[in-house]
Structures are given as C-alpha cells and as structure tokens.
Amino acid sequence: MERLRKYGFVAGFLVVPLTLYSVFVISPYVQAFQLSLTSWNGYSAIVRYVGLDNFGRLLGDEVFWQALRNHGLLLLALPLTTLVIALFLSFLLNLGGGARGAGMRGVWGSKFYRVVFFFPQVLAVAVVGVLFQAIYRPDEDGVINGLLAKFGIEPVGWLIEPGLALWSVMAVMVWQGVGFYVVLFSAGMAAIPKDYFEAAAIDGAGRVRLFFSITLPLLRDTVQVGWIYLGIAALDGFALIQVLVGDKGEPDGATTILPITIYKNAFSFGKVGYASAMGVALFFLTVTFAVLTLRTTRRERVEL
C-alpha cells in the first residue's frame, strides 16, 4: 500500500508533462509518418493514399541526394572541428597552467575566457545569421573583405561561391557551438581527480602527455555525447542557413539541406505528403547516426 501511494504521488507529477510531450512531440511524429504515405497538398479536405510512392520518388530526386551529400560533409567536419577546438580550449582553461601550489590550474584569465567563449551561445540564431551576413558580404563593405582589401586582395564571395558557401556556414556553426562544449568539457575535467594530473606532472609528464594519457580517455563518454549532439546539429542547420543564404540552396545547391528542402516542398510547393516522406527519411537518418555512434564508441566504463 505504501509503495502504491508513493508511485501514485510520482505519477501525479508526470501526468501533465507526459501529456504535453505526447501531444506536441509524439503526435506530430506519428502524423508525419501517416502523411508520408499520402499526396496531401496541405489544405485539401481530400487525402489520397499513395503508399510508398513518395519514398520511391526520393530515390530519383537529385535535390534530395545533393542535400544528403551536404549533410555527409557536415557530419564529418562539424563534430570533428568543434570538438577538437573545444577540447583544446577546455584543457587550457582548466589545466593548461600546469601545477601550482596544491593543484593544477588553468591559464591566466581563464574565468574571463570562459565567458568570452560561451557568449556566442546566448545569441539567437537569427542574430548570428544577420551578424555574419555583414561579415561575409561579398564586397569591400564586408568585414572580412574589407580587411583583405587593405592588403590588396580581391573580395571573396564567401556565401556565393559553390566551393566556399558550405564551409563558410560551417565556420559560423563552429563559432557558435564551441562555447557550449567548452563548458561541457570543463565540467567533465572538473570531475577528474586532480591527483591524477599532479602525480603525472611529478613524474615529468608534459601538457601533451597529460591531455592524451589522462584527460581524453576519462572524457570519452562526454566526447561521445558531444559528437551525437553535433551530429544532430549537422542534420539540422535550418535556421542559420535560412538567414544566411535563404531557402534556394544557392549557389548551385551548395547549401541545400534536408530541413530547408522539406520546408520548401511543404509550404512553397504544396507537397506536404512528399515533404513528410523526407522528414521520415531524416528521422531515420538521425536515429541511425546516433545508434551507430553509440555502438562504435562503446567501451567499458572507467571507474575513478
């Protein structure tokens, strides 16, 4: 009876959040799966089921494959670049100062640098997009091109040249995301007993050895989580790309991604059923990425 009363008390608190989650998260997913089997245009009262035809069309859609290629590049470059920079900065801010007195210290001014690195994280995506529109302007009024002009270098079309557009967008994503992972890894480093570092430092281990022999192995689980988060970010990117370059995927499809393609098919072309099929494909792509990452990076837990 006592256990029943306890579980009833807990369930009472969970009813409202679980109901809201089911209505606003689970239900749209279920509806998307249903709509992916139709040719609904978004406003007609008549819904015609077409089975798996929408998924068959995806296989021959060059825009869909271009978006997948762009996501593949983002999946390879974005997590790796962001995590490497964040790990390097976190190590400097927490342990880069070496052994001082009774323990390990970060570099001078590390508390100030933490605020500076995290600042981009608090900016709205729209604000970041507008900011980098000014930075990436293809004429000498742009911040970067203005600096290049002082050295006699011709303006560069950072967002209008096919070979640079996606990399320029990725640089913005890295700039905005690094601060969060610096904080995440700093928290992980704070949980590592400082005795490990002090003992290694006494034995003559340098900063590089401390990082690769102690810090990185004990942060493996945290890095794994960060990789999954960044992979999901690489499969999204809708708001930033929409603000920076619009929804046309220009130049030459260099910035075409699935969320923007889904948006265009649903709200510009009136192909809600087809857009839902793309959404289902994106859902399974995201789940597959997360599962594969968890399985390939799984290891025995290190006990501290």
Side-chain angles (χ1 to χ4, degrees), residues 85-86 88-94 107-123 174-183 186:
I85 295 174
F88 174 73
L89 295 176
S90 300
F91 185 79
L92 289 181
L93 295 180
N94 291 273
V107 296
W108 182 85
S110 58
K111 293 182 179 180
F112 171 74
Y113 293 134
R114 284 192 183 95
V115 176
V116 173
F117 293 145
F118 191 75
F119 178 72
Q121 189 68 33
V122 305
L123 297 177
V174 171
W175 176 81
Q176 188 182 25
V178 160
F180 172 80
Y181 295 98
V182 168
V183 173
S186 293

PDB file of all heavy atoms in Angstrom, residues 85-86 88-94 107-123 174-183 186:
ATOM      1  N   ILE A  85      38.571  21.830 -31.202  1.00  0.00           N
ATOM      2  CA  ILE A  85      38.783  23.185 -30.679  1.00  0.00           C
ATOM      3  C   ILE A  85      38.315  23.286 -29.231  1.00  0.00           C
ATOM      4  O   ILE A  85      39.000  23.863 -28.376  1.00  0.00           O
ATOM      5  CB  ILE A  85      38.047  24.219 -31.554  1.00  0.00           C
ATOM      6  CG1 ILE A  85      38.653  24.241 -32.967  1.00  0.00           C
ATOM      7  CG2 ILE A  85      38.119  25.609 -30.930  1.00  0.00           C
ATOM      8  CD1 ILE A  85      37.902  25.133 -33.933  1.00  0.00           C
ATOM      9  N   ALA A  86      37.131  22.726 -28.943  1.00  0.00           N
ATOM     10  CA  ALA A  86      36.581  22.811 -27.590  1.00  0.00           C
ATOM     11  C   ALA A  86      37.459  22.067 -26.584  1.00  0.00           C
ATOM     12  O   ALA A  86      37.681  22.536 -25.458  1.00  0.00           O
ATOM     13  CB  ALA A  86      35.159  22.263 -27.557  1.00  0.00           C
ATOM     14  N   PHE A  88      40.707  21.488 -26.838  1.00  0.00           N
ATOM     15  CA  PHE A  88      41.942  22.260 -26.674  1.00  0.00           C
ATOM     16  C   PHE A  88      41.722  23.446 -25.742  1.00  0.00           C
ATOM     17  O   PHE A  88      42.506  23.672 -24.802  1.00  0.00           O
ATOM     18  CB  PHE A  88      42.422  22.730 -28.044  1.00  0.00           C
ATOM     19  CG  PHE A  88      43.607  23.648 -27.988  1.00  0.00           C
ATOM     20  CD1 PHE A  88      44.860  23.150 -27.671  1.00  0.00           C
ATOM     21  CD2 PHE A  88      43.469  25.000 -28.255  1.00  0.00           C
ATOM     22  CE1 PHE A  88      45.971  24.001 -27.604  1.00  0.00           C
ATOM     23  CE2 PHE A  88      44.563  25.850 -28.199  1.00  0.00           C
ATOM     24  CZ  PHE A  88      45.817  25.344 -27.877  1.00  0.00           C
ATOM     25  N   LEU A  89      40.653  24.198 -25.968  1.00  0.00           N
ATOM     26  CA  LEU A  89      40.381  25.370 -25.141  1.00  0.00           C
ATOM     27  C   LEU A  89      40.045  24.969 -23.701  1.00  0.00           C
ATOM     28  O   LEU A  89      40.476  25.629 -22.749  1.00  0.00           O
ATOM     29  CB  LEU A  89      39.251  26.190 -25.742  1.00  0.00           C
ATOM     30  CG  LEU A  89      39.529  26.833 -27.107  1.00  0.00           C
ATOM     31  CD1 LEU A  89      38.285  27.547 -27.627  1.00  0.00           C
ATOM     32  CD2 LEU A  89      40.704  27.800 -27.019  1.00  0.00           C
ATOM     33  N   SER A  90      39.282  23.902 -23.549  1.00  0.00           N
ATOM     34  CA  SER A  90      38.916  23.449 -22.200  1.00  0.00           C
ATOM     35  C   SER A  90      40.150  23.032 -21.407  1.00  0.00           C
ATOM     36  O   SER A  90      40.269  23.330 -20.209  1.00  0.00           O
ATOM     37  CB  SER A  90      37.936  22.266 -22.285  1.00  0.00           C
ATOM     38  OG  SER A  90      36.758  22.639 -22.955  1.00  0.00           O
ATOM     39  N   PHE A  91      41.057  22.334 -22.073  1.00  0.00           N
ATOM     40  CA  PHE A  91      42.274  21.909 -21.386  1.00  0.00           C
ATOM     41  C   PHE A  91      43.103  23.117 -20.948  1.00  0.00           C
ATOM     42  O   PHE A  91      43.624  23.158 -19.828  1.00  0.00           O
ATOM     43  CB  PHE A  91      43.099  21.008 -22.304  1.00  0.00           C
ATOM     44  CG  PHE A  91      44.313  20.428 -21.645  1.00  0.00           C
ATOM     45  CD1 PHE A  91      44.207  19.342 -20.792  1.00  0.00           C
ATOM     46  CD2 PHE A  91      45.567  20.970 -21.860  1.00  0.00           C
ATOM     47  CE1 PHE A  91      45.326  18.809 -20.167  1.00  0.00           C
ATOM     48  CE2 PHE A  91      46.691  20.451 -21.245  1.00  0.00           C
ATOM     49  CZ  PHE A  91      46.569  19.364 -20.388  1.00  0.00           C
ATOM     50  N   LEU A  92      43.211  24.122 -21.834  1.00  0.00           N
ATOM     51  CA  LEU A  92      43.949  25.321 -21.469  1.00  0.00           C
ATOM     52  C   LEU A  92      43.294  26.042 -20.289  1.00  0.00           C
ATOM     53  O   LEU A  92      43.980  26.500 -19.373  1.00  0.00           O
ATOM     54  CB  LEU A  92      44.038  26.264 -22.664  1.00  0.00           C
ATOM     55  CG  LEU A  92      44.950  25.856 -23.820  1.00  0.00           C
ATOM     56  CD1 LEU A  92      44.922  26.922 -24.903  1.00  0.00           C
ATOM     57  CD2 LEU A  92      46.372  25.625 -23.344  1.00  0.00           C
ATOM     58  N   LEU A  93      41.963  26.135 -20.316  1.00  0.00           N
ATOM     59  CA  LEU A  93      41.263  26.893 -19.288  1.00  0.00           C
ATOM     60  C   LEU A  93      41.259  26.181 -17.941  1.00  0.00           C
ATOM     61  O   LEU A  93      41.131  26.827 -16.897  1.00  0.00           O
ATOM     62  CB  LEU A  93      39.827  27.154 -19.721  1.00  0.00           C
ATOM     63  CG  LEU A  93      39.634  28.047 -20.946  1.00  0.00           C
ATOM     64  CD1 LEU A  93      38.157  28.212 -21.255  1.00  0.00           C
ATOM     65  CD2 LEU A  93      40.280  29.409 -20.726  1.00  0.00           C
ATOM     66  N   ASN A  94      41.402  24.865 -17.943  1.00  0.00           N
ATOM     67  CA  ASN A  94      41.314  24.124 -16.694  1.00  0.00           C
ATOM     68  C   ASN A  94      42.651  23.587 -16.201  1.00  0.00           C
ATOM     69  O   ASN A  94      42.875  23.509 -14.988  1.00  0.00           O
ATOM     70  CB  ASN A  94      40.337  22.948 -16.852  1.00  0.00           C
ATOM     71  CG  ASN A  94      38.903  23.399 -17.007  1.00  0.00           C
ATOM     72  OD1 ASN A  94      38.198  23.607 -16.036  1.00  0.00           O
ATOM     73  ND2 ASN A  94      38.457  23.548 -18.252  1.00  0.00           N
ATOM     74  N   VAL A 107      45.085  28.479 -17.477  1.00  0.00           N
ATOM     75  CA  VAL A 107      45.900  29.613 -17.893  1.00  0.00           C
ATOM     76  C   VAL A 107      45.385  30.880 -17.209  1.00  0.00           C
ATOM     77  O   VAL A 107      44.258  30.943 -16.706  1.00  0.00           O
ATOM     78  CB  VAL A 107      45.857  29.786 -19.429  1.00  0.00           C
ATOM     79  CG1 VAL A 107      46.467  28.582 -20.114  1.00  0.00           C
ATOM     80  CG2 VAL A 107      44.430  30.018 -19.911  1.00  0.00           C
ATOM     81  N   TRP A 108      46.220  31.914 -17.215  1.00  0.00           N
ATOM     82  CA  TRP A 108      45.841  33.179 -16.591  1.00  0.00           C
ATOM     83  C   TRP A 108      44.620  33.764 -17.295  1.00  0.00           C
ATOM     84  O   TRP A 108      44.538  33.785 -18.521  1.00  0.00           O
ATOM     85  CB  TRP A 108      47.005  34.156 -16.678  1.00  0.00           C
ATOM     86  CG  TRP A 108      46.721  35.475 -16.014  1.00  0.00           C
ATOM     87  CD1 TRP A 108      46.871  35.780 -14.702  1.00  0.00           C
ATOM     88  CD2 TRP A 108      46.216  36.655 -16.647  1.00  0.00           C
ATOM     89  NE1 TRP A 108      46.492  37.072 -14.457  1.00  0.00           N
ATOM     90  CE2 TRP A 108      46.090  37.639 -15.640  1.00  0.00           C
ATOM     91  CE3 TRP A 108      45.859  36.966 -17.963  1.00  0.00           C
ATOM     92  CZ2 TRP A 108      45.617  38.913 -15.913  1.00  0.00           C
ATOM     93  CZ3 TRP A 108      45.382  38.241 -18.240  1.00  0.00           C
ATOM     94  CH2 TRP A 108      45.269  39.201 -17.215  1.00  0.00           C
ATOM     95  N   GLY A 109      43.637  34.230 -16.519  1.00  0.00           N
ATOM     96  CA  GLY A 109      42.432  34.828 -17.081  1.00  0.00           C
ATOM     97  C   GLY A 109      41.419  33.830 -17.574  1.00  0.00           C
ATOM     98  O   GLY A 109      40.538  34.172 -18.374  1.00  0.00           O
ATOM     99  N   SER A 110      41.507  32.581 -17.121  1.00  0.00           N
ATOM    100  CA  SER A 110      40.631  31.527 -17.646  1.00  0.00           C
ATOM    101  C   SER A 110      39.151  31.799 -17.374  1.00  0.00           C
ATOM    102  O   SER A 110      38.299  31.469 -18.204  1.00  0.00           O
ATOM    103  CB  SER A 110      41.028  30.175 -17.051  1.00  0.00           C
ATOM    104  OG  SER A 110      40.962  30.204 -15.628  1.00  0.00           O
ATOM    105  N   LYS A 111      38.829  32.402 -16.240  1.00  0.00           N
ATOM    106  CA  LYS A 111      37.430  32.697 -15.945  1.00  0.00           C
ATOM    107  C   LYS A 111      36.853  33.699 -16.941  1.00  0.00           C
ATOM    108  O   LYS A 111      35.707  33.570 -17.385  1.00  0.00           O
ATOM    109  CB  LYS A 111      37.295  33.230 -14.521  1.00  0.00           C
ATOM    110  CG  LYS A 111      37.607  32.201 -13.448  1.00  0.00           C
ATOM    111  CD  LYS A 111      37.408  32.776 -12.052  1.00  0.00           C
ATOM    112  CE  LYS A 111      37.705  31.732 -10.980  1.00  0.00           C
ATOM    113  NZ  LYS A 111      37.527  32.271  -9.612  1.00  0.00           N
ATOM    114  N   PHE A 112      37.636  34.692 -17.308  1.00  0.00           N
ATOM    115  CA  PHE A 112      37.188  35.673 -18.301  1.00  0.00           C
ATOM    116  C   PHE A 112      37.015  35.015 -19.661  1.00  0.00           C
ATOM    117  O   PHE A 112      36.036  35.263 -20.378  1.00  0.00           O
ATOM    118  CB  PHE A 112      38.200  36.812 -18.391  1.00  0.00           C
ATOM    119  CG  PHE A 112      37.959  37.760 -19.530  1.00  0.00           C
ATOM    120  CD1 PHE A 112      36.925  38.680 -19.480  1.00  0.00           C
ATOM    121  CD2 PHE A 112      38.759  37.717 -20.662  1.00  0.00           C
ATOM    122  CE1 PHE A 112      36.683  39.541 -20.544  1.00  0.00           C
ATOM    123  CE2 PHE A 112      38.538  38.571 -21.723  1.00  0.00           C
ATOM    124  CZ  PHE A 112      37.497  39.491 -21.659  1.00  0.00           C
ATOM    125  N   TYR A 113      37.951  34.140 -20.034  1.00  0.00           N
ATOM    126  CA  TYR A 113      37.875  33.488 -21.330  1.00  0.00           C
ATOM    127  C   TYR A 113      36.656  32.573 -21.428  1.00  0.00           C
ATOM    128  O   TYR A 113      36.073  32.413 -22.505  1.00  0.00           O
ATOM    129  CB  TYR A 113      39.148  32.684 -21.596  1.00  0.00           C
ATOM    130  CG  TYR A 113      40.373  33.537 -21.775  1.00  0.00           C
ATOM    131  CD1 TYR A 113      41.567  33.216 -21.138  1.00  0.00           C
ATOM    132  CD2 TYR A 113      40.343  34.674 -22.586  1.00  0.00           C
ATOM    133  CE1 TYR A 113      42.699  34.003 -21.296  1.00  0.00           C
ATOM    134  CE2 TYR A 113      41.466  35.461 -22.744  1.00  0.00           C
ATOM    135  CZ  TYR A 113      42.639  35.126 -22.106  1.00  0.00           C
ATOM    136  OH  TYR A 113      43.746  35.902 -22.264  1.00  0.00           O
ATOM    137  N   ARG A 114      36.267  31.961 -20.316  1.00  0.00           N
ATOM    138  CA  ARG A 114      35.074  31.119 -20.340  1.00  0.00           C
ATOM    139  C   ARG A 114      33.845  31.930 -20.751  1.00  0.00           C
ATOM    140  O   ARG A 114      33.016  31.474 -21.540  1.00  0.00           O
ATOM    141  CB  ARG A 114      34.843  30.494 -18.965  1.00  0.00           C
ATOM    142  CG  ARG A 114      35.758  29.339 -18.638  1.00  0.00           C
ATOM    143  CD  ARG A 114      35.269  28.605 -17.392  1.00  0.00           C
ATOM    144  NE  ARG A 114      36.166  27.527 -17.016  1.00  0.00           N
ATOM    145  CZ  ARG A 114      37.135  27.640 -16.121  1.00  0.00           C
ATOM    146  NH1 ARG A 114      37.332  28.787 -15.499  1.00  0.00           N
ATOM    147  NH2 ARG A 114      37.911  26.610 -15.837  1.00  0.00           N
ATOM    148  N   VAL A 115      33.718  33.121 -20.211  1.00  0.00           N
ATOM    149  CA  VAL A 115      32.594  33.995 -20.564  1.00  0.00           C
ATOM    150  C   VAL A 115      32.653  34.380 -22.034  1.00  0.00           C
ATOM    151  O   VAL A 115      31.653  34.360 -22.750  1.00  0.00           O
ATOM    152  CB  VAL A 115      32.591  35.251 -19.671  1.00  0.00           C
ATOM    153  CG1 VAL A 115      31.481  36.207 -20.106  1.00  0.00           C
ATOM    154  CG2 VAL A 115      32.433  34.866 -18.207  1.00  0.00           C
ATOM    155  N   VAL A 116      33.853  34.718 -22.509  1.00  0.00           N
ATOM    156  CA  VAL A 116      34.024  35.122 -23.911  1.00  0.00           C
ATOM    157  C   VAL A 116      33.656  33.985 -24.847  1.00  0.00           C
ATOM    158  O   VAL A 116      32.932  34.177 -25.838  1.00  0.00           O
ATOM    159  CB  VAL A 116      35.472  35.583 -24.160  1.00  0.00           C
ATOM    160  CG1 VAL A 116      35.711  35.831 -25.648  1.00  0.00           C
ATOM    161  CG2 VAL A 116      35.773  36.846 -23.365  1.00  0.00           C
ATOM    162  N   PHE A 117      34.132  32.773 -24.562  1.00  0.00           N
ATOM    163  CA  PHE A 117      33.863  31.636 -25.435  1.00  0.00           C
ATOM    164  C   PHE A 117      32.383  31.251 -25.429  1.00  0.00           C
ATOM    165  O   PHE A 117      31.848  30.800 -26.448  1.00  0.00           O
ATOM    166  CB  PHE A 117      34.708  30.425 -25.019  1.00  0.00           C
ATOM    167  CG  PHE A 117      36.175  30.616 -25.236  1.00  0.00           C
ATOM    168  CD1 PHE A 117      37.101  30.068 -24.353  1.00  0.00           C
ATOM    169  CD2 PHE A 117      36.648  31.359 -26.298  1.00  0.00           C
ATOM    170  CE1 PHE A 117      38.462  30.251 -24.543  1.00  0.00           C
ATOM    171  CE2 PHE A 117      38.008  31.553 -26.501  1.00  0.00           C
ATOM    172  CZ  PHE A 117      38.909  31.000 -25.622  1.00  0.00           C
ATOM    173  N   PHE A 118      31.729  31.414 -24.276  1.00  0.00           N
ATOM    174  CA  PHE A 118      30.326  30.999 -24.181  1.00  0.00           C
ATOM    175  C   PHE A 118      29.375  32.061 -24.749  1.00  0.00           C
ATOM    176  O   PHE A 118      28.228  31.738 -25.071  1.00  0.00           O
ATOM    177  CB  PHE A 118      29.958  30.720 -22.715  1.00  0.00           C
ATOM    178  CG  PHE A 118      28.631  30.048 -22.549  1.00  0.00           C
ATOM    179  CD1 PHE A 118      28.482  28.702 -22.851  1.00  0.00           C
ATOM    180  CD2 PHE A 118      27.520  30.749 -22.109  1.00  0.00           C
ATOM    181  CE1 PHE A 118      27.253  28.074 -22.711  1.00  0.00           C
ATOM    182  CE2 PHE A 118      26.289  30.131 -21.965  1.00  0.00           C
ATOM    183  CZ  PHE A 118      26.165  28.787 -22.264  1.00  0.00           C
ATOM    184  N   PHE A 119      29.828  33.277 -24.895  1.00  0.00           N
ATOM    185  CA  PHE A 119      28.952  34.366 -25.318  1.00  0.00           C
ATOM    186  C   PHE A 119      28.189  34.068 -26.609  1.00  0.00           C
ATOM    187  O   PHE A 119      26.974  34.338 -26.688  1.00  0.00           O
ATOM    188  CB  PHE A 119      29.752  35.659 -25.475  1.00  0.00           C
ATOM    189  CG  PHE A 119      28.930  36.820 -25.957  1.00  0.00           C
ATOM    190  CD1 PHE A 119      28.007  37.434 -25.127  1.00  0.00           C
ATOM    191  CD2 PHE A 119      29.058  37.287 -27.263  1.00  0.00           C
ATOM    192  CE1 PHE A 119      27.237  38.498 -25.577  1.00  0.00           C
ATOM    193  CE2 PHE A 119      28.289  38.344 -27.718  1.00  0.00           C
ATOM    194  CZ  PHE A 119      27.377  38.951 -26.873  1.00  0.00           C
ATOM    195  N   PRO A 120      28.810  33.528 -27.676  1.00  0.00           N
ATOM    196  CA  PRO A 120      28.039  33.248 -28.899  1.00  0.00           C
ATOM    197  C   PRO A 120      26.858  32.306 -28.678  1.00  0.00           C
ATOM    198  O   PRO A 120      25.876  32.349 -29.416  1.00  0.00           O
ATOM    199  CB  PRO A 120      29.079  32.618 -29.836  1.00  0.00           C
ATOM    200  CG  PRO A 120      30.383  33.140 -29.347  1.00  0.00           C
ATOM    201  CD  PRO A 120      30.241  33.231 -27.869  1.00  0.00           C
ATOM    202  N   GLN A 121      26.957  31.466 -27.636  1.00  0.00           N
ATOM    203  CA  GLN A 121      25.899  30.500 -27.377  1.00  0.00           C
ATOM    204  C   GLN A 121      24.606  31.177 -26.945  1.00  0.00           C
ATOM    205  O   GLN A 121      23.520  30.630 -27.148  1.00  0.00           O
ATOM    206  CB  GLN A 121      26.364  29.505 -26.307  1.00  0.00           C
ATOM    207  CG  GLN A 121      25.448  28.327 -26.090  1.00  0.00           C
ATOM    208  CD  GLN A 121      25.413  27.389 -27.277  1.00  0.00           C
ATOM    209  OE1 GLN A 121      26.403  27.229 -27.958  1.00  0.00           O
ATOM    210  NE2 GLN A 121      24.287  26.761 -27.514  1.00  0.00           N
ATOM    211  N   VAL A 122      24.677  32.354 -26.346  1.00  0.00           N
ATOM    212  CA  VAL A 122      23.481  33.025 -25.842  1.00  0.00           C
ATOM    213  C   VAL A 122      22.817  33.880 -26.925  1.00  0.00           C
ATOM    214  O   VAL A 122      21.727  34.404 -26.701  1.00  0.00           O
ATOM    215  CB  VAL A 122      23.796  33.902 -24.611  1.00  0.00           C
ATOM    216  CG1 VAL A 122      24.474  33.074 -23.528  1.00  0.00           C
ATOM    217  CG2 VAL A 122      24.685  35.081 -24.984  1.00  0.00           C
ATOM    218  N   LEU A 123      23.456  34.023 -28.065  1.00  0.00           N
ATOM    219  CA  LEU A 123      22.867  34.801 -29.150  1.00  0.00           C
ATOM    220  C   LEU A 123      21.853  33.966 -29.911  1.00  0.00           C
ATOM    221  O   LEU A 123      22.071  32.778 -30.166  1.00  0.00           O
ATOM    222  CB  LEU A 123      23.956  35.284 -30.121  1.00  0.00           C
ATOM    223  CG  LEU A 123      25.013  36.241 -29.567  1.00  0.00           C
ATOM    224  CD1 LEU A 123      26.050  36.545 -30.648  1.00  0.00           C
ATOM    225  CD2 LEU A 123      24.375  37.525 -29.070  1.00  0.00           C
ATOM    226  N   VAL A 174      30.498  26.334 -36.077  1.00  0.00           N
ATOM    227  CA  VAL A 174      31.579  26.027 -35.129  1.00  0.00           C
ATOM    228  C   VAL A 174      31.759  27.177 -34.151  1.00  0.00           C
ATOM    229  O   VAL A 174      31.863  26.971 -32.931  1.00  0.00           O
ATOM    230  CB  VAL A 174      32.889  25.746 -35.894  1.00  0.00           C
ATOM    231  CG1 VAL A 174      34.057  25.644 -34.904  1.00  0.00           C
ATOM    232  CG2 VAL A 174      32.769  24.464 -36.707  1.00  0.00           C
ATOM    233  N   TRP A 175      31.792  28.394 -34.674  1.00  0.00           N
ATOM    234  CA  TRP A 175      31.980  29.577 -33.823  1.00  0.00           C
ATOM    235  C   TRP A 175      30.901  29.668 -32.751  1.00  0.00           C
ATOM    236  O   TRP A 175      31.183  29.957 -31.585  1.00  0.00           O
ATOM    237  CB  TRP A 175      31.952  30.831 -34.692  1.00  0.00           C
ATOM    238  CG  TRP A 175      32.030  32.113 -33.921  1.00  0.00           C
ATOM    239  CD1 TRP A 175      33.144  32.720 -33.422  1.00  0.00           C
ATOM    240  CD2 TRP A 175      30.928  32.964 -33.542  1.00  0.00           C
ATOM    241  NE1 TRP A 175      32.810  33.888 -32.771  1.00  0.00           N
ATOM    242  CE2 TRP A 175      31.460  34.066 -32.826  1.00  0.00           C
ATOM    243  CE3 TRP A 175      29.548  32.908 -33.757  1.00  0.00           C
ATOM    244  CZ2 TRP A 175      30.655  35.078 -32.322  1.00  0.00           C
ATOM    245  CZ3 TRP A 175      28.749  33.916 -33.253  1.00  0.00           C
ATOM    246  CH2 TRP A 175      29.302  34.997 -32.539  1.00  0.00           C
ATOM    247  N   GLN A 176      29.648  29.387 -33.140  1.00  0.00           N
ATOM    248  CA  GLN A 176      28.567  29.499 -32.169  1.00  0.00           C
ATOM    249  C   GLN A 176      28.537  28.332 -31.192  1.00  0.00           C
ATOM    250  O   GLN A 176      28.148  28.486 -30.040  1.00  0.00           O
ATOM    251  CB  GLN A 176      27.220  29.590 -32.882  1.00  0.00           C
ATOM    252  CG  GLN A 176      26.071  29.891 -31.929  1.00  0.00           C
ATOM    253  CD  GLN A 176      24.724  29.941 -32.618  1.00  0.00           C
ATOM    254  OE1 GLN A 176      24.523  29.341 -33.663  1.00  0.00           O
ATOM    255  NE2 GLN A 176      23.785  30.673 -32.040  1.00  0.00           N
ATOM    256  N   GLY A 177      28.971  27.149 -31.630  1.00  0.00           N
ATOM    257  CA  GLY A 177      28.821  25.968 -30.793  1.00  0.00           C
ATOM    258  C   GLY A 177      29.969  25.666 -29.864  1.00  0.00           C
ATOM    259  O   GLY A 177      29.793  24.968 -28.859  1.00  0.00           O
ATOM    260  N   VAL A 178      31.158  26.176 -30.163  1.00  0.00           N
ATOM    261  CA  VAL A 178      32.341  25.822 -29.370  1.00  0.00           C
ATOM    262  C   VAL A 178      32.157  26.160 -27.901  1.00  0.00           C
ATOM    263  O   VAL A 178      32.545  25.380 -27.011  1.00  0.00           O
ATOM    264  CB  VAL A 178      33.596  26.535 -29.943  1.00  0.00           C
ATOM    265  CG1 VAL A 178      34.696  26.601 -28.891  1.00  0.00           C
ATOM    266  CG2 VAL A 178      34.106  25.796 -31.152  1.00  0.00           C
ATOM    267  N   GLY A 179      31.567  27.310 -27.599  1.00  0.00           N
ATOM    268  CA  GLY A 179      31.424  27.739 -26.205  1.00  0.00           C
ATOM    269  C   GLY A 179      30.669  26.743 -25.348  1.00  0.00           C
ATOM    270  O   GLY A 179      31.037  26.495 -24.188  1.00  0.00           O
ATOM    271  N   PHE A 180      29.605  26.154 -25.898  1.00  0.00           N
ATOM    272  CA  PHE A 180      28.827  25.175 -25.135  1.00  0.00           C
ATOM    273  C   PHE A 180      29.681  23.964 -24.774  1.00  0.00           C
ATOM    274  O   PHE A 180      29.635  23.462 -23.638  1.00  0.00           O
ATOM    275  CB  PHE A 180      27.609  24.736 -25.938  1.00  0.00           C
ATOM    276  CG  PHE A 180      26.847  23.600 -25.321  1.00  0.00           C
ATOM    277  CD1 PHE A 180      25.971  23.826 -24.288  1.00  0.00           C
ATOM    278  CD2 PHE A 180      27.026  22.295 -25.772  1.00  0.00           C
ATOM    279  CE1 PHE A 180      25.271  22.774 -23.699  1.00  0.00           C
ATOM    280  CE2 PHE A 180      26.345  21.242 -25.193  1.00  0.00           C
ATOM    281  CZ  PHE A 180      25.459  21.489 -24.160  1.00  0.00           C
ATOM    282  N   TYR A 181      30.477  23.492 -25.733  1.00  0.00           N
ATOM    283  CA  TYR A 181      31.275  22.292 -25.484  1.00  0.00           C
ATOM    284  C   TYR A 181      32.489  22.594 -24.614  1.00  0.00           C
ATOM    285  O   TYR A 181      32.986  21.696 -23.918  1.00  0.00           O
ATOM    286  CB  TYR A 181      31.664  21.651 -26.824  1.00  0.00           C
ATOM    287  CG  TYR A 181      30.429  21.164 -27.536  1.00  0.00           C
ATOM    288  CD1 TYR A 181      29.830  21.928 -28.529  1.00  0.00           C
ATOM    289  CD2 TYR A 181      29.811  19.983 -27.154  1.00  0.00           C
ATOM    290  CE1 TYR A 181      28.661  21.517 -29.143  1.00  0.00           C
ATOM    291  CE2 TYR A 181      28.644  19.555 -27.759  1.00  0.00           C
ATOM    292  CZ  TYR A 181      28.071  20.324 -28.745  1.00  0.00           C
ATOM    293  OH  TYR A 181      26.891  19.928 -29.339  1.00  0.00           O
ATOM    294  N   VAL A 182      32.962  23.827 -24.624  1.00  0.00           N
ATOM    295  CA  VAL A 182      33.997  24.220 -23.668  1.00  0.00           C
ATOM    296  C   VAL A 182      33.462  24.078 -22.246  1.00  0.00           C
ATOM    297  O   VAL A 182      34.141  23.542 -21.354  1.00  0.00           O
ATOM    298  CB  VAL A 182      34.462  25.663 -23.931  1.00  0.00           C
ATOM    299  CG1 VAL A 182      35.304  26.177 -22.767  1.00  0.00           C
ATOM    300  CG2 VAL A 182      35.267  25.743 -25.218  1.00  0.00           C
ATOM    301  N   VAL A 183      32.234  24.527 -22.025  1.00  0.00           N
ATOM    302  CA  VAL A 183      31.613  24.395 -20.705  1.00  0.00           C
ATOM    303  C   VAL A 183      31.367  22.923 -20.366  1.00  0.00           C
ATOM    304  O   VAL A 183      31.626  22.468 -19.238  1.00  0.00           O
ATOM    305  CB  VAL A 183      30.292  25.187 -20.655  1.00  0.00           C
ATOM    306  CG1 VAL A 183      29.543  24.916 -19.348  1.00  0.00           C
ATOM    307  CG2 VAL A 183      30.552  26.676 -20.809  1.00  0.00           C
ATOM    308  N   SER A 186      34.687  21.289 -19.652  1.00  0.00           N
ATOM    309  CA  SER A 186      35.228  21.831 -18.400  1.00  0.00           C
ATOM    310  C   SER A 186      34.578  21.145 -17.206  1.00  0.00           C
ATOM    311  O   SER A 186      35.248  20.835 -16.209  1.00  0.00           O
ATOM    312  CB  SER A 186      34.998  23.342 -18.327  1.00  0.00           C
ATOM    313  OG  SER A 186      35.751  24.020 -19.310  1.00  0.00           O
TER     314      SER A 186
END
